[in-house]
Amino acid sequence: MDGFWENVLRYQRYFVTVLLGVVWNVIEPLVPLFKRPLSAIALISLMAGLLTFVALTLRAMLGLTAV
């Protein structure tokens, strides 16, 4: 049990670091698309559509509302 909590905290920091790295690598290629208005509107619409699709799919799968 020597150093147990230190190891537990180390894994949490590692998880947060990996998660931030993945988010950064996903968002970084999309940043240039926001510089042009037409592609920015398309990208925002695509993200909103994907979020709506996932939300409706999860609601239907979990039986939260009648679809």
Side-chain angles (χ1 to χ4, degrees):
M1 291 296 288
D2 194 32
F4 173 75
W5 292 111
E6 182 180 333
N7 282 335
V8 169
L9 291 175
R10 188 179 304 147
Y11 284 115
Q12 289 176 352
R13 279 185 256 142
Y14 176 72
F15 174 71
V16 169
T17 304
V18 169
L19 190 62
L20 287 174
V22 168
V23 169
W24 178 264
N25 283 314
V26 168
I27 291 176
E28 188 178 17
L30 300 176
V31 170
L33 294 175
F34 283 109
K35 293 183 179 177
R36 290 177 290 180
L38 186 60
S39 62
I41 292 171
L43 189 60
I44 290 171
S45 299
L46 179 67
M47 285 192 261
L50 285 173
L51 184 64
T52 303
F53 174 75
V54 169
L56 291 174
T57 302
L58 287 174
R59 281 185 180 196
M61 288 175 67
L62 295 172
L64 298 176
T65 60
V67 178

